């Protein structure tokens, strides 16, 4: 199974947002053998924007993003190309 993780789930964990953090941690702890987890490419900029709005410290937010990218570095993969429809 493949699961697209909502940006808010990632933010709940990174920012330790109560009361959602524990449920978000449980979602992210699901083993890769059960569910391959993905976030959208635009999630990184969304996470930066929202985290900065809450933290107001650029260096701390950059560190959060770096941590996120380090965690996901080994899990990055490129999905197979979808064949395009030929022009008619």
């Amino acid at each position: 199974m493949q699961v697209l993780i909502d940006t808010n789930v990632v933010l709940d964990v990174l920012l330790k947002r109560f009361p959602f953090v524990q449920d978000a941690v449980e979602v992210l702890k699901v083993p890769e053998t059960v569910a391959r987890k993905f976030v959208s490419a635009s999630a990184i900029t969304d996470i930066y924007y929202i985290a900065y709005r809450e933290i107001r410290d650029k260096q701390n937010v950059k560190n959060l993003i770096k941590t996120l990218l380090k965690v996901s570095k080994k899990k990055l993969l490129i999905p197979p190309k979808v064949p395009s429809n030929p022009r008619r």
Side-chain angles (χ1 to χ4, degrees), residues 28-70:
L28 296 178
K29 285 171 68 175
V30 172
E32 290 292 316
T33 56
V34 174
R36 294 178 76 187
K37 299 175 287 289
F38 300 89
V39 294
S40 69
S42 65
I44 300 300
T45 55
D46 295 342
I47 290 167
Y48 181 88
Y49 174 78
I50 295 167
Y52 180 73
R53 223 175 53 196
E54 288 192 28
I55 296 173
R56 294 286 182 200
D57 182 334
K58 286 184 181 181
Q59 192 56 50
N60 275 345
V61 174
K62 285 180 183 179
N63 290 339
L64 282 176
I65 297 295
K66 286 179 184 178
T67 300
L68 176 63
L69 293 174
K70 283 180 187 175

Side-chain angles (χ1 to χ4, degrees), residues 68-84:
L68 176 63
L69 293 174
K70 283 180 187 175
V71 168
S72 64
K73 185 177 183 179
K74 294 180 183 176
K75 298 179 184 177
L76 292 177
L77 61 96
I78 300 169
K81 288 187 177 182
V82 176
S84 60

Side-chain angles (χ1 to χ4, degrees), residues 3-10 24 27-28 36-40 43:
V3 178
L4 180 65
I5 302 295
D6 185 78
T7 302
N8 285 301
V9 172
V10 177
V27 167
L28 296 178
R36 294 178 76 187
K37 299 175 287 289
F38 300 89
V39 294
S40 69

